[in-house]
Amino acid sequence: MSKTLVITTLASLALLAGCATNLATSQLLGERYILTNIDTYPVQIVSVDGDSSTVSPQRVEPGRREQLLRGPPG
């Protein structure tokens, strides 16, 4: 194999790998954030669009989402 062919092949693979990434996602942690104002309450994200996940952070695509939240009782 010629050196030029190897370099061209590696450069092509690197460019194709760069096209495979999806930057149009948001990340949800789902952890409780306790530093809230006195008139608000901490909540925890339980599921997004009916899908609960133990992966943190959970990646979601942009757009409208249905979230199930867990808050203090009462």
Side-chain angles (χ1 to χ4, degrees), residues 17-64:
C19 294
T21 59
N22 185 5
L23 298 178
T25 59
S26 297
Q27 297 179 353
L28 298 174
L29 292 177
E31 296 174 0
R32 183 175 280 186
Y33 182 72
I34 332 175
L35 302 174
T36 59
N37 296 331
I38 198 162
D39 59 344
T40 59
Y41 298 98
V43 296
Q44 185 177 18
I45 300 171
V46 177
S47 68
V48 178
D49 292 336
D51 183 30
S52 62
S53 174
T54 57
V55 177
S56 182
Q58 184 177 2
R59 298 186 192 275
V60 294
E61 294 181 3
R64 294 184 81 109

